[in-house]
């Protein structure tokens, strides 16, 4: 039976709309909600038509499309990564996304995903850490104190109970910014003068650096028994954060192996290097941490399923709070076969005929 469909305008969730949701619900509650949706969707992993993202690389950065669908809903995200954008007063990462109905192809939601991506990345980090880190972690090192660092701290504080944050960035002003924001959130933090000093004695290490380079932010001599490493910044070919020997000595978990082999820190390793997709741990099909001294790594690159979850969450919350606008993204036609007539009627008041207005 066909759906009873009437032409409708597409819901639009702006940056201001997402900021309003964060204000009404609280950023921590939003991250928790997205984490819940992510966990739900990862538990039905095999329901999805999955593919690695499509990337267009340049000397200055990358622009990517990230599609995914189940039998009812299709989503994609457009996202860039340009580490030097601050010289133009622009964000390093900017994104938007679309959620569509699979049966008709109708775009139901067009949403900003810059703020939302920061929340979903933090949510995914927390979901993985719950499965992989030691129980009741007390401290986390944040290496890289840019735009996503506050969200990571909030997620680990709210969802895992981390009490103390060690901070380091090559740019001291970024650390100052982060420490000021964490103070306002009531989170305890301390700035350090090197990565080595910052990671010492911590239960979790989160690396979220931006430079598009094969870096070695974390080296084997920094690793302590029982650490969990949340590697967020290595997310494209030629961009890594972990020394390959760190990977060799740890148990490594990824989101979607075909994408992670190309983009993650495991790009440094041979094709037969063992990794486990995190959905298998969440579903109970594979073990996570097996002993208190295990070193675990979540080699996170960001996968389209997380954006699928985030878009569903934001649509549901925005609709409940009546914070969505609507836009005319596709024409609502009285006769679906008469697209020209629709355009002609819209131009009926012009002084020139439509044939003279259209440029060829």
């Amino acid at each position: 039976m066909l759906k009873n469909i009437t032409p409708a305008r597409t819901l639009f969730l702006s940056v201001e709309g997402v900021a309003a949701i964060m204000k009404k619900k609280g950023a921590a509650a939003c991250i928790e909600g997205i984490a819940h949706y992510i966990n739900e969707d990862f538990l039905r992993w095999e329901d999805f038509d999955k593919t690695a993202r499509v990337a267009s690389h340049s000397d200055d950065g990358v622009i990517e499309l990230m599609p995914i669908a189940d039998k009812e809903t299709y989503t994609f995200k457009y996202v860039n990564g340009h580490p030097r954008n601050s010289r133009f007063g622009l964000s390093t990462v900017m994104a938007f996304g679309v959620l569509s109905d699979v049966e008709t192809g109708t775009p139901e939601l067009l949403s900003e995903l810059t703020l939302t991506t920061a929340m979903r990345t933090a949510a995914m980090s927390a979901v993985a850490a719950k499965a992989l880190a030691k129980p009741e972690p007390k401290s986390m090192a944040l290496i890289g104190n840019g735009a996503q660092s506050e969200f990571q701290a909030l997620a680990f504080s709210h969802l895992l109970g981390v009490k103390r944050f060690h901070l380091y960035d090559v740019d001291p002003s970024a650390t100052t910014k982060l420490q000021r924001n964490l103070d306002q959130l009531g989170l305890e933090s301390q700035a350090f003068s090197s990565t080595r000093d910052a990671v010492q004695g911590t239960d979790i290490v989160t690396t979220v650096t931006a430079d598009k380079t094969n870096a070695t932010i974390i080296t084997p001599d920094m690793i302590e028994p029982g650490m969990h490493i949340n590697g967020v910044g290595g997310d494209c070919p030629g961009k890594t954060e972990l020394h390959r020997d760190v990977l060799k000595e740890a148990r490594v978990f990824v989101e979607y192996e075909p994408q992670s082999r190309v983009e993650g820190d495991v790009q440094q390793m041979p094709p037969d290097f063992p990794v486990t997709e995190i959905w298998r741990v969440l579903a109970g099909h594979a073990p996570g941490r097996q002993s208190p001294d295990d070193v675990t790594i979540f080699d996170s690159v960001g996968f389209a399923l997380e954006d699928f979850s985030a878009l569903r969450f934001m649509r549901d919350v925005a609709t409940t709070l009546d914070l969505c606008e609507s836009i005319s993204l596709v024409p609502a036609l009285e006769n679906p076969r008469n697209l020209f007539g629709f355009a002609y009627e819209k131009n009926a008041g012009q002084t020139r005929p439509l044939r003279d207005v259209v440029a060829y």
Side-chain angles (χ1 to χ4, degrees):
M1 180 180 294
L2 292 177
K3 290 182 178 180
N4 182 19
I5 297 173
T6 56
R9 293 163 69 89
T10 301
L11 296 177
F12 174 58
L13 187 55
S14 66
V15 173
E16 292 77 14
V18 171
I21 289 173
M22 292 173 66
K23 184 175 181 180
K24 283 179 178 289
K25 286 187 66 68
C30 288
I31 292 170
E32 182 177 8
I34 293 171
H36 176 70
Y37 276 51
I38 286 173
N39 196 72
E40 281 188 339
D41 289 333
F42 268 71
L43 289 177
R44 57 188 193 94
W45 179 263
E46 294 177 347
D47 292 346
F48 290 92
D49 180 11
K50 299 175 286 292
T51 184
R53 58 185 155 209
V54 180
S56 176
H57 295 277
S58 67
D59 291 339
D60 290 322
V62 62
I63 297 174
E64 300 167 332
L65 287 178
M66 301 172 64
I68 195 165
D70 63 9
K71 291 182 179 179
E72 296 181 355
T73 304
Y74 170 93
T75 69
F76 77 83
K77 179 169 78 172
Y78 166 102
V79 61
N80 77 306
H82 286 70
R84 300 175 63 196
N85 264 4
S86 58
R87 61 192 163 147
F88 303 120
L90 296 173
S91 297
T92 297
V93 176
M94 296 175 281
F96 68 89
V98 170
L99 183 152
S100 297
D101 173 63
V102 164
E103 183 176 347
T104 66
T106 304
E108 297 180 341
L109 173 71
L110 172 63
S111 177
E112 84 80 43
L113 281 181
T114 306
L115 279 169
T116 304
T117 290
M119 290 191 288
R120 80 85 158 120
T121 302
M124 186 67 230
S125 293
V127 168
K130 274 191 170 184
L132 302 175
K134 292 188 298 186
E136 300 182 0
K138 296 295 186 288
S139 59
M140 181 169 86
L142 264 169
I143 311 303
N145 300 161
Q148 293 203 32
S149 55
E150 287 88 352
F151 297 90
Q152 291 283 331
L154 197 55
F156 278 83
S157 171
H158 185 67
L159 297 178
L160 278 86
V162 172
K163 303 297 183 185
R164 187 176 71 257
F165 295 91
H166 293 193
L167 316 179
Y168 174 70
D169 195 292
V170 293
D171 178 4
S173 68
T175 302
T176 300
K177 175 271 305 181
L178 174 57
Q179 196 158 30
R180 182 173 61 247
N181 287 336
L182 294 187
D183 286 347
Q184 292 178 351
L185 292 170
L187 301 181
E188 179 187 342
S189 65
Q190 181 179 352
F192 289 81
S193 58
S194 71
T195 298
R196 182 182 305 279
D197 291 341
V199 304
Q200 187 173 2
T202 57
D203 299 316
I204 298 172
V205 175
T206 290
T207 56
V208 60
T209 61
D211 286 343
K212 188 180 178 182
T213 183
N214 285 314
T216 51
I217 307 299
I218 303 297
T219 53
D221 54 305
M222 299 179 190
I223 303 302
E224 299 175 10
M227 268 186 175
H228 172 63
I229 300 171
N230 178 41
V232 179
D235 58 1
C236 69
K239 183 182 179 188
T240 60
E241 296 180 310
L242 310 180
H243 191 286
R244 69 190 314 274
D245 287 345
V246 173
L247 297 164
K248 288 167 64 176
E249 298 302 319
R251 304 187 66 240
V252 180
F253 301 82
V254 300
E255 289 140 311
Y256 180 53
E257 185 175 348
Q259 180 174 305
S260 298
R261 292 281 185 187
V262 176
E263 298 180 350
D265 271 274
V266 294
Q267 68 186 264
Q268 307 173 76
M269 311 307 286
D272 60 349
F273 178 76
V275 300
T276 302
E277 290 182 331
I278 190 66
W279 77 270
R280 294 179 56 79
V281 179
L282 299 176
H285 299 325
R289 173 175 296 275
Q290 293 180 286
S291 79
D293 288 342
D294 273 352
V295 174
T296 54
I297 296 174
F298 179 48
D299 185 10
S300 175
V301 297
F303 181 53
L305 183 51
E306 297 148 33
D307 303 304
F308 180 100
S309 306
L311 281 165
R312 287 201 306 114
F313 173 80
M314 299 307 290
R315 175 202 60 194
D316 293 350
V317 173
T319 302
T320 300
L321 297 177
D322 196 24
L323 287 172
C324 272
E325 307 170 48
S326 66
I327 57 173
S328 183
L329 188 63
V330 294
L333 304 175
E334 291 185 10
N335 180 354
R337 297 182 177 181
N338 192 15
L339 181 61
F340 180 85
F342 170 85
Y344 189 83
E345 290 173 6
K346 293 297 181 184
N347 288 275
Q350 297 178 154
T351 57
R352 288 184 291 165
L354 184 62
R355 64 178 180 272
D356 296 332
V357 175
V358 177
Y360 292 93

